[in-house]
């Protein structure tokens, strides 16, 4: 799992959001004893207690907007998501013109995998002088998750006309999605001039300038579909053949948890790939964010898809473990179509947009709504019968992992006395994990009762709180269809599973 930095977006979002709501509520006068106690518990991270105190205060004073907002936030933080959504919907119905109620409703809808509904809620706060910029940022995130470039452009244009402040993160994300390379560079240059101290922005600008000078990236969808490629397991990882720069096929691991093409140094040397720029890559492990190079692949062919001038990250690794693999590729380049991944039959296929997943899987598959964060799929999963919560669907992860930040909120505790700490290896060095016992994971109609499961520091750089990562110990039970334009992932259990 590898990511290029995103101008600080998504890091520490939960703590920042909590403090924003708590500080606003605390600033209002007069403040009831129940509300004051509830806010204090929220700030201490005692969310279940806060929900109880604020629930009592809400019953005593149901018309109090401040108490209702704090109670809804407490339910959300306490992982009581259906109750939080119901509370937010009721709140927005009673206070339809209140921007804070609209924003909270939008958040709850987004976490419930309803990005369209979230966008509608955020729209209601766009014209508010105090909260308009926040609403625009949240609405922009929704358009990105829905892969709606035109909608995002219209939103930002309207915000500028109205004089609403557009955050640098949103400006950069919109520029990155611009299909015209020279215009993309011009927009990044203007933003870079405003923020000369942003290293990540400067990295992005240098990369886009280098790409534009070579003609930009060009993606050609297969003229005849379906187009199929083989899948085979290499060191237990599903891999597909890529033809790089017209050479013979190179097997690259299919890593749905990656938002970029990641190539090993030995392959880069062998192909003599030119360096485009430097950047900061964020891997999983104790070293975290590290500097690396971006190189240029002149041509890439995979499953009939042809890409010219594609940037690739250099895989900075600490162990010979990584030298056994040529690299990793995510789903991003394929998501303008419909992708079939069938591990057991060894098939990776590409169909045109609009293809019904049922035509590929039959009627026995079950659909999951998906949030596409830069080409990375986030899907809903139940934990201990609660939720559903966002999980990263990651074919690059051998095991399913739970977040040490969020697992305790659903009553999952690490048994450190029995198991101690375990150590694993990520792309940025070693990481530690704890072990929890007797955990039920439910996805669609199927449940998994895990006697033990790993709990670790899952990266939190997404627009929604990531409760865990779905790894191959579960995903290997399914053939899958990734429908980028349709906003869904459809899974079908293999016969006998």
């Amino acid at each position: 799992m590898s990511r290029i930095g995103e101008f600080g977006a998504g890091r520490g979002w939960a703590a920042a959001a909590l403090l924003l709501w708590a500080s606003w509520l605390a600033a209002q006068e007069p403040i009831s004893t129940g509300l004051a106690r509830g806010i204090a518990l929220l700030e201490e991270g005692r969310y279940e207690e806060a929900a109880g105190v604020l629930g009592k205060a809400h019953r005593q004073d149901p018309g109090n907007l401040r108490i209702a907002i704090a109670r809804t936030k407490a339910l959300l933080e306490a992982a009581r998501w259906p109750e939080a959504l119901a509370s937010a919907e009721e709140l927005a119905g009673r206070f339809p013109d209140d921007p804070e109620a609209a924003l909270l409703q939008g958040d709850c809808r987004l976490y419930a995998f309803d990005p369209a509904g979230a966008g509608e809620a955020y729209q209601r706060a766009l014209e508010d002088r105090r909260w308009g910029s926040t609403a625009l940022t949240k609405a922009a995130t929704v358009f990105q998750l829905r892969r709606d470039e035109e909608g995002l452009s219209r939103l930002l244009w309207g915000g500028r006309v109205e004089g609403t402040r557009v955050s640098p993160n949103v400006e950069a994300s919109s520029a990155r999605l611009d299909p015209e390379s020279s215009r993309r560079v011009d927009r990044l240059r203007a933003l870079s001039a405003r923020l000369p101290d942003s290293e990540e922005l400067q990295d992005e600008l240098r990369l886009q300038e280098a790409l534009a000078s070579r003609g930009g990236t060009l993606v050609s969808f297969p003229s005849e579909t379906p187009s199929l490629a083989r899948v085979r397991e290499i060191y237990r990882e599903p891999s597909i053949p890529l033809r790089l720069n017209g050479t013979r096929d190179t097997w690259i691991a299919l890593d749905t948890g990656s938002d970029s093409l990641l190539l090993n140094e030995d392959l880069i040397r062998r192909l003599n790939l030119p360096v485009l720029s430097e950047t900061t890559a964020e891997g999983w492990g104790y070293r975290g964010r590290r500097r690396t190079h971006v190189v240029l692949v002149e041509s890439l062919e995979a499953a009939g898809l042809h890409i010219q001038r594609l940037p690739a990250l250099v895989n900075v690794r600490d162990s010979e473990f990584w030298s056994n693999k040529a690299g990793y590729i995510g789903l991003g380049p394929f998501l303008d179509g419909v992708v079939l991944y069938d591990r057991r039959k060894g098939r990776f296929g590409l169909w045109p947009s609009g293809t019904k997943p049922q035509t590929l899987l039959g009627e026995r598959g079950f659909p999951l709504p998906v949030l596409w964060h830069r080409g990375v799929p986030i899907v809903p999963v139940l934990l201990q019968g609660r939720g559903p919560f966002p999980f990263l669907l990651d074919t690059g992860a051998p095991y399913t992992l739970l977040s040490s930040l969020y697992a305790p909120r659903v009553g999952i505790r690490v048994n450190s006395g029995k198991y101690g700490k375990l150590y694993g290896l990520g792309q940025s060095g070693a990481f530690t994990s704890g072990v929890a016992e007797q955990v039920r994971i439910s996805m669609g109609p199927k449940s998994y009762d895990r006697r033990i499961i790993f709990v670790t520091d899952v990266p939190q750089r997404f627009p929604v709180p990531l409760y865990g990562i779905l790894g191959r110990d579960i995903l290997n039970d399914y053939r899958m269809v990734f429908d980028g334009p349709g906003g869904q992932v459809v899974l079908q259990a293999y016969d006998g599973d």
Side-chain angles (χ1 to χ4, degrees):
M1 184 171 58
S2 175
R3 306 262 182 321
I4 299 177
E6 296 183 53
F7 310 96
R11 301 187 188 97
W13 73 271
L18 175 59
L19 290 175
L20 175 66
W21 287 107
S23 63
W24 176 80
L25 288 164
Q28 311 304 305
E29 293 293 345
I31 188 167
S32 70
T33 302
L35 179 57
R37 176 61 177 155
I39 292 172
L41 289 169
L42 275 171
E43 292 177 324
E44 293 171 15
R46 296 161 65 181
Y47 305 121
E48 192 64 49
E49 294 178 67
V53 169
L54 291 166
K56 180 178 179 181
H58 178 67
R59 290 189 294 273
Q60 293 172 343
D61 188 2
N64 189 308
L65 173 63
R66 289 172 290 155
I67 292 176
I69 288 177
R71 171 179 174 264
T72 305
K73 186 64 179 175
L75 290 171
L76 197 61
E77 296 292 346
R80 293 162 61 177
W81 285 27
E83 294 173 76
L85 177 60
S87 178
E89 295 291 341
E90 178 190 8
L91 183 62
R94 288 169 48 217
F95 302 95
D97 298 323
D98 187 85
E100 293 94 342
L103 291 174
L104 190 53
Q105 181 189 35
D107 287 349
C108 288
R109 286 179 172 180
L110 182 60
Y111 301 164
F113 286 80
D114 179 15
E120 292 175 2
Y122 295 144
Q123 294 272 347
R124 300 204 313 273
L126 285 176
E127 297 182 5
D128 186 83
R129 295 185 63 181
R130 179 176 182 181
W131 295 98
S133 179
T134 299
L136 188 145
T137 297
K138 289 176 176 289
T141 297
V142 167
F143 281 114
Q144 293 172 58
L145 292 172
R146 298 175 68 188
R147 305 181 69 247
D148 186 348
E149 300 171 16
E150 292 185 5
L152 177 59
S153 296
R154 290 195 301 272
L155 174 73
L156 298 188
W157 176 259
R160 295 187 191 99
V161 169
E162 296 296 327
T164 304
R165 178 183 174 273
V166 180
S167 74
N169 289 338
V170 173
E171 290 276 17
S173 297
S174 176
R176 187 188 295 114
L177 293 174
D178 197 312
E180 216 291 307
S181 59
S182 61
R183 189 170 60 229
R184 184 163 59 242
V185 169
D186 289 342
R187 294 174 64 181
L188 287 171
R189 280 176 180 162
L191 185 59
S192 179
R194 289 167 44 198
L195 301 169
D197 295 330
S198 172
E199 180 183 61
E200 294 179 35
L201 183 55
Q202 299 299 327
D203 286 344
E204 183 80 12
L205 175 59
R206 284 190 287 268
L207 171 59
Q208 295 301 331
E209 286 176 333
L211 275 175
S213 69
R214 290 165 169 82
T217 300
L218 178 64
V219 180
S220 301
F221 202 80
S223 57
E224 295 184 6
T225 55
S227 55
L228 299 175
R230 291 176 294 160
V231 174
R232 74 180 189 189
E233 291 194 0
I234 301 176
Y235 300 100
R236 297 186 178 181
E237 290 191 323
S239 302
I240 60 175
L242 270 62
R243 183 158 295 179
L244 304 173
N245 289 358
T247 61
R248 63 184 177 86
D249 288 347
T250 301
W251 289 89
I252 304 287
L254 177 64
D255 181 5
T256 60
S258 177
D259 65 3
S260 55
L261 176 63
L262 187 71
L263 299 178
N264 287 355
E265 292 173 308
D266 49 359
L267 176 64
I268 289 168
R269 286 193 298 269
R270 188 165 71 247
L271 296 178
N272 196 27
L273 301 182
V275 173
L276 286 175
S277 64
E278 287 190 359
T279 191
T280 298
E282 189 160 11
W284 195 13
Y286 73 98
R287 291 198 177 184
R289 295 165 59 79
R290 302 175 66 183
R291 297 295 289 178
T292 187
H293 288 100
V294 182
V295 297
L296 180 67
V297 177
E298 284 290 348
S299 69
L300 179 150
E301 297 175 65
L305 191 75
H306 186 209
I307 306 176
Q308 294 175 268
R309 297 176 294 275
L310 179 68
L313 285 179
V314 177
N315 186 11
V316 179
R317 55 184 182 265
D318 294 327
S319 167
E320 288 302 310
F321 172 78
W322 301 110
S323 66
N324 292 329
K325 304 173 181 64
Y328 299 83
I329 188 169
L331 289 169
F334 307 98
L335 287 181
D336 286 336
V338 176
V339 175
L340 169 69
Y341 164 56
D342 189 337
R343 180 185 64 88
R344 288 194 183 176
K345 290 189 176 181
R347 294 194 304 168
F348 180 87
L350 190 59
W351 276 257
S353 174
T355 301
K356 299 296 184 184
Q358 291 80 2
T359 65
L360 307 181
L361 298 178
E363 298 298 329
R364 293 190 298 117
F366 60 87
L368 296 174
V370 62
L371 302 176
W372 292 110
H373 179 64
R374 298 190 66 181
V376 172
I378 301 172
V379 297
V381 173
L382 291 172
L383 276 179
Q384 309 294 62
R386 296 172 62 178
F389 303 113
F391 270 62
L392 177 65
L393 192 157
D394 189 358
T395 60
Y399 303 109
T400 295
L401 304 166
L402 302 183
S403 165
S404 56
L405 176 63
Y406 293 111
R409 303 191 190 186
V410 293
I412 297 172
R413 296 288 184 269
V414 170
N415 193 335
S416 56
K418 182 175 180 179
Y419 295 99
K421 287 186 177 180
L422 302 180
Y423 296 87
L425 186 64
Q427 290 180 357
S428 289
F431 63 91
T432 61
S433 294
V435 177
E437 298 178 301
Q438 307 303 325
V439 173
R440 168 164 282 200
I441 298 172
S442 303
M443 185 173 58
K446 192 164 184 177
S447 294
Y448 295 83
D449 292 309
R450 290 292 189 247
R451 186 179 66 82
I452 62 170
I453 195 168
F454 299 125
V455 182
T456 189
D457 183 17
V458 172
Q460 299 295 330
R461 46 177 172 265
F462 301 92
V464 292
L466 204 66
Y467 271 63
I469 295 173
L470 283 173
R472 295 194 301 274
D473 57 331
I474 288 178
L475 298 177
N476 280 355
D477 289 348
Y478 301 94
R479 61 174 57 88
M480 295 175 254
V481 169
F482 298 95
D483 183 359
Q488 62 179 335
V489 175
V490 182
L491 284 73
Q492 182 190 66
Y494 288 111
D495 292 338
D497 289 339

